[in-house]
Amino acid sequence: MANLVTSLCCVVVAAVVVAYAQRRSQLVGRNQYEPMYTEVVLRCGSLDSNASVSWKVNGTDVRAQHRQLGPKLILTQVTLSHNGLYSCFQNPNGERRDTILLHVGIRPREPSVTCRSNTYPKGFYCSWHQLYPTYIPTSYEVDVVHNQKSLEVQKDAVHKNRCHVRFPEVFSSSPYKVNVTAINALGRASTLYSFEESNIVKPDPPERVTATPIRFNARRLEVTWQSPATWPDVDNFPLKYFLRYRPLIRDTWQHVELSDSTAHTITDAIAGKEYIIQVAAKDTEIGTWSDWSVAVHATPWIEDPSPITSTTDGDFPTETKTSPIPSSNAPQKAEPPVGRAARLLTFFSPLLLGMLLLLM
Ligand SMILES: *[C@@H]1O[C@H](CO)[C@@H](O)[C@H](O)[C@H]1NC(C)=O
Ligand SMILES: *[C@@H]1O[C@H](CO)[C@@H](O)[C@H](O)[C@H]1NC(C)=O
Ligand SMILES: *[C@@H]1O[C@H](CO)[C@@H](O)[C@H](O)[C@H]1NC(C)=O
């Protein structure tokens, strides 16, 4: 008995749900996807071909170029401007018989696919995108095969068009085949991307790059950095580094390649010039160089011509660093005489005051 009641209850609930869904689709409309620049036929429900209906879009008369054939509305050369909610009403009583949400779009093309391992030897990721917009929802299927075996593909938590794959083995020379299929209501298209492990290794740039002047040395800068945090095993898969630096006033870089070291001292800096410094990383055996790190700026140590000022203001030295350096080779700006006199006065005034007090 109880069973009968629960089943009945379920039937009632199901009926209500179905009725609601039907009502909702009448109000919201069923989706119809059509390719751009084509002729589109909207059919008013399943009415007979001799039925007479009126069409409305977004609640108003259809103003775009169209023809009507019984219950059918025919739109020519549809573009995005034809998108909308189309409703048809049977004449003569004006009862609504159908509601269609028209989406004009484009079928997907072969997606552009790239894969990269910044976590070698753990795994790699692939990302993809459409070169042209499709205007309608497009989803992707990704298959990765290695040695005839399908590999597990994990969606990225943040990037929509990205997935992660673990290397099933390291030092494998057989290719990985990544098949990305773009799918939407108007069609599908696949790209097959094939590569070897060694071709996609590219670390992230080095991190926490710092450059500091060395006291009493006008031509040196001490540069330090850390290996990228994403590189999982820097001990067994060491990185080498590439340093580039130039004074802001010059266009050409100087380069240094370093194996397995995370510090370097520039010894040939031009005295008094602000430098820009970047570092890149690469696996010592395979793959390509990372992108350049964040750029850091530093000026070699400058013998302070007026140490007086730095005694009154601890932050002053950083100000001299950022001040634009004149293009002449004069390492220091000549100070205006008034400013110097004023500074001398401020420095000596406590002394003068003290002397006055002593005299009194
Ligand atoms: C449409 O045609 C069907 C037969 O094909 C007929 O039964 C019906 O009455 C016609 N309706 C109108 C509105 O002419
Ligand atoms: C209908 O309304 C939608 C949403 O406001 C709008 O994007 C679309 O252009 C309208 N369509 C027409 C044909 O006016
Ligand atoms: C790629 O995947 C799609 C969808 O699963 C499939 O239809 C297509 O044949 C595959 N292409 C290749 C070259 O494996």
Side-chain angles (χ1 to χ4, degrees):
M1 183 63 198
N3 243 340
L4 185 63
V5 169
T6 36
S7 337
L8 262 178
C9 188
C10 279
V11 168
V12 170
V13 167
V16 168
V17 166
V18 167
Y20 176 78
Q22 274 173 350
R23 221 181 106 78
R24 199 177 142 77
S25 82
Q26 283 247 314
L27 289 177
V28 176
R30 58 191 167 90
N31 291 313
Q32 184 169 337
Y33 295 90
E34 297 289 350
M36 207 175 286
Y37 309 127
T38 59
E39 186 173 274
V40 166
V41 178
L42 303 178
R43 284 185 182 75
C44 184
S46 50
L47 291 185
D48 278 341
S49 60
N50 57 0
S52 162
V53 302
S54 311
W55 284 92
K56 289 203 181 294
V57 57
N58 290 351
T60 63
D61 292 340
V62 179
R63 257 167 282 151
Q65 203 184 14
H66 67 278
R67 285 179 284 134
Q68 236 185 291
L69 213 60
K72 294 186 216 165
L73 177 71
I74 301 160
L75 302 167
T76 46
Q77 286 275 320
V78 292
T79 62
L80 297 178
S81 70
H82 290 83
N83 284 346
L85 190 66
Y86 289 81
S87 309
C88 56
F89 304 88
Q90 188 162 18
N91 295 329
N93 54 4
E95 191 190 341
R96 184 187 0 221
R97 302 307 295 256
D98 204 357
T99 308
I100 300 167
L101 203 47
L102 176 65
H103 307 269
V104 175
I106 292 175
R107 58 175 298 157
R109 308 221 197 157
E110 290 76 23
S112 146
V113 181
T114 56
C115 298
R116 178 182 160 218
S117 174
N118 59 340
T119 56
Y120 189 73
K122 250 163 76 179
F124 61 91
Y125 70 85
C126 296
S127 41
W128 53 86
H129 66 276
Q130 285 284 314
L131 293 175
Y132 302 95
T134 60
Y135 305 109
I136 54 174
T138 300
S139 62
Y140 295 88
E141 269 174 22
V142 184
D143 295 308
V144 182
V145 175
H146 177 250
N147 276 338
Q148 272 110 39
K149 262 179 53 195
S150 225
L151 302 183
E152 194 188 325
V153 175
Q154 210 170 26
K155 291 216 150 254
D156 190 276
V158 180
H159 300 95
K160 192 160 56 80
N161 292 352
R162 185 181 286 196
C163 70
H164 298 265
V165 179
R166 293 183 88 79
F167 282 119
E169 54 186 285
V170 197
F171 310 128
S172 161
S173 59
S174 55
Y176 290 81
K177 291 179 185 148
V178 177
N179 178 3
V180 180
T181 306
I183 303 162
N184 71 22
L186 299 175
R188 52 169 61 209
S190 299
T191 298
L192 188 69
Y193 178 45
S194 195
F195 57 83
E196 276 179 31
E197 164 194 310
S198 57
N199 296 335
I200 57 156
V201 174
K202 179 182 174 181
D204 287 328
E207 293 168 9
R208 296 168 189 262
V209 184
T210 65
T212 30
I214 296 170
R215 210 165 149 73
F216 304 126
N217 201 314
R219 303 205 57 195
R220 285 179 184 237
L221 285 171
E222 171 88 33
V223 186
T224 67
W225 59 90
Q226 286 179 10
S227 63
T230 44
W231 197 253
D233 186 0
V234 78
D235 295 325
N236 292 309
F237 295 85
L239 295 171
K240 59 182 179 182
Y241 298 97
F242 207 43
L243 191 90
R244 72 172 186 182
Y245 58 99
R246 63 173 172 86
L248 278 187
I249 54 162
R250 295 242 175 114
D251 288 335
T252 50
W253 295 93
Q254 283 166 275
H255 296 97
V256 188
E257 191 170 333
L258 302 153
S259 56
D260 206 12
S261 158
T262 54
H264 176 70
T265 305
I266 296 169
T267 55
D268 57 356
I270 305 170
K273 298 295 182 210
E274 179 179 352
Y275 270 74
I276 177 166
I277 299 141
Q278 288 179 292
V279 191
K282 182 184 170 299
D283 181 90
T284 44
E285 303 289 332
I286 58 171
T288 54
W289 286 100
S290 73
D291 293 337
W292 289 109
S293 70
V294 175
V296 292
H297 291 243
T299 308
W301 176 82
I302 302 170
E303 188 171 5
D304 202 332
S306 49
I308 297 155
T309 53
S310 58
T311 58
T312 54
D313 184 355
D315 285 340
F316 197 74
T318 53
E319 250 172 73
T320 42
K321 254 193 227 165
T322 52
S323 71
I325 294 152
S327 52
S328 82
N329 266 352
Q332 290 303 318
K333 261 197 290 195
E335 219 176 303
V338 178
R340 175 165 289 185
R343 280 182 187 166
L344 281 174
L345 205 67
T346 44
F347 179 71
F348 283 116
S349 54
L351 273 181
L352 286 174
L353 204 70
M355 274 153 82
L356 265 170
L357 283 173
L358 272 178
L359 282 173
M360 280 163 68

